[in-house]
Amino acid sequence: MAAFATPRPSGDPAPYRALVHPRGARYIEAIDQRALPHAVVMARIDNADTAALAIRKMWVRGAPLIGAVGAYGLALALDHDASDAALAKAHVALDATRPTAVNLRWALDRVCNAVRPLSEDERADAAWREADAICREDEGINHAIGTHGLALLREIASRKSGPLNVMTHCNAGALATCGWGTATAPLFLAHAEGLALHVWVSETRPRLQGANLTAWEMQRRGVPHTLFADVASSLLMRRGDVDVVLVGTDRVAANGDVCNKIGTYGKALAARDNDVPFYVALPSPTLDASLASGAGIPIETRSPEEVIAITGRDDWGQTTTVAIAPEGTRAVNYAFDLTPARLVSGLITERGVVAADRDAIGAMFPERFAVAERA
Ligand code: MRU
């Protein structure tokens, strides 16, 4: 596949990193995103159980970052015991942390395929190298998505006067990846080159990734933005206040169906009803060519507590969780939803923008479909 060489990485200049592997260290450090936006807390992850906990409890979250931490989790497990049995056990434990983001399974399989043929002595070092490579490539992929997305934003901006109003959902930012973010990469590059931009940041109930994380990133990078309640999405589009919607994804099926944070489908419907283009930033590890459509994507359900209670900082600077519903209220908490391909204007990948349909995606990523067909 020489024609599709991995893009040259271009480092994210951000003054923060979601994940760091200090040179030569046998541990990683990650921002504990539960403490954001009010505190930047670095958590040290120095064993596989802690890596699994960090993913399950969402210290770290976002499809690409979950994959990267999963990969390091395997390396940490192999540092402890590099036998076939231990490798298989660690793979199962890490894979079971969260079901929807396909990057986790992709990264775990990649590390396993790289180390399984090796002798036990060589496995741990090889796993650390593979995890580092996954991170480096992720940053390069996101920068390439940024470049292709920037061309799209320039084109839309050229057809209007005033700042370009981009709506996003959840956090598909540098905090969800190893650099640049996916949906945010075009925004950060556009802002850096001086394109007049304004970002609508959807709060993203129930865990508030938009309010807590995306607003924090926009503030840290000086990108003009406005936070709004999720339920206001359709009104903002109907008023003509939104020029384009740009979101991330946790899994895209072979036919272009998109799974992303709960609330994305509603935004896609409102976008279609108001002729607002709806784009999805898709790094290729998030493509699941083994699934013919989105119907097969497992949708995570999380604790009802996340819906019934809300966490924030009080006037004394204390982070507090308070109940917002009467004692004993029954609640349901779907973490993701599915946007059918027919509502997607295009997928912004590291190889360019592609239509959300099987033939187009297959033509752009033939090797992913070949692997799926062999499996
Ligand atoms: O539950 P989360 O916070 O892990 O959900 C994250 C999202 O839905 C993101 O949009 C997606 O993972 C893309 S991150 C580049």
Side-chain angles (χ1 to χ4, degrees), residues 132-152:
D132 285 342
I134 286 173
C135 279
R136 253 192 332 276
E137 288 167 27
D138 179 60
E139 188 167 13
I141 285 172
N142 299 335
H143 184 265
I145 288 174
T147 307
H148 297 301
L150 174 58
L152 196 65

Side-chain angles (χ1 to χ4, degrees), residues 22-333:
R23 195 182 296 284
R26 299 306 257 206
Y27 61 83
I28 54 174
E29 290 183 329
I31 295 178
D32 182 344
Q33 299 187 24
R34 299 169 304 169
L36 288 173
H38 306 304
V40 178
V41 175
M42 293 306 287
R44 177 170 293 197
I45 299 175
D46 56 11
N47 63 69
D49 292 343
T50 305
L53 184 70
I55 297 171
R56 199 171 38 252
K57 296 291 183 186
M58 296 181 67
W59 308 0
V60 295
R61 30 69 47 207
L65 188 66
I66 290 172
V69 173
Y72 283 116
L74 275 185
L76 288 160
L78 292 169
D79 272 347
H80 183 69
D81 175 350
S83 65
D84 285 350
L87 178 61
K89 187 163 168 272
H91 185 294
V92 169
L94 288 157
D95 191 40
T97 51
R98 296 188 71 193
T100 305
V102 73
N103 301 61
L104 180 56
R105 172 73 60 80
W106 171 85
L108 295 174
D109 290 351
R110 176 170 161 174
V111 173
C112 279
N113 294 340
V115 305
R116 206 174 281 116
L118 305 176
S119 70
E120 291 193 12
D121 293 352
E122 300 165 304
R123 287 180 170 180
D125 288 350
W128 279 99
R129 285 195 299 275
E130 202 65 30
D132 285 342
I134 286 173
C135 279
R136 253 192 332 276
E137 288 167 27
D138 179 60
E139 188 167 13
I141 285 172
N142 299 335
H143 184 265
I145 288 174
T147 307
H148 297 301
L150 174 58
L152 196 65
L153 296 183
R154 285 191 193 125
E155 198 277 319
I156 298 171
S158 70
R159 291 189 260 122
K160 62 159 292 178
S161 57
L164 182 72
N165 292 298
V166 182
M167 179 181 281
T168 195
H169 186 64
C170 192
N171 174 263
L175 287 172
T177 66
C178 300
W180 290 109
T182 60
T184 55
L187 305 176
F188 295 152
L189 291 177
H191 179 66
E193 76 164 24
L195 190 146
L197 183 68
H198 166 257
V199 180
W200 288 108
V201 176
S202 196
E203 61 180 347
T204 316
R205 285 269 300 157
R207 288 188 68 104
L208 300 174
Q209 286 91 332
N212 291 345
L213 308 177
T214 304
W216 183 83
E217 292 203 59
M218 296 301 162
Q219 216 175 61
R220 298 300 298 268
R221 297 185 190 233
V223 179
H225 61 285
T226 306
L227 181 68
F228 67 95
D230 299 327
V231 285
S233 309
S234 38
L235 171 72
L236 289 167
M237 291 188 223
R238 189 169 177 77
R239 286 165 48 93
D241 295 341
V242 181
D243 300 305
V244 58
V245 179
L246 180 47
V247 298
T249 179
D250 291 83
R251 193 182 301 218
V252 171
N255 71 338
D257 287 346
V258 169
C259 181
N260 193 40
K261 182 51 56 189
I262 192 82
T264 303
Y265 178 33
K267 282 184 168 64
L269 287 167
R272 177 54 53 86
D273 194 46
N274 294 284
D275 298 324
V276 175
F278 181 90
Y279 285 94
V280 175
L282 167 64
S284 59
T286 312
L287 172 63
D288 186 349
S290 74
L291 291 180
S293 79
I297 299 178
I299 298 290
E300 182 183 11
T301 53
R302 295 185 60 86
S303 160
E305 272 311 301
E306 294 183 355
V307 172
I308 289 173
I310 201 163
T311 300
R313 187 181 64 180
D314 63 25
D315 294 344
W316 297 275
Q318 299 308 306
T319 297
T320 316
T321 298
V322 294
I324 59 170
E327 190 86 20
T329 297
R330 225 167 66 83
V332 67
N333 185 11

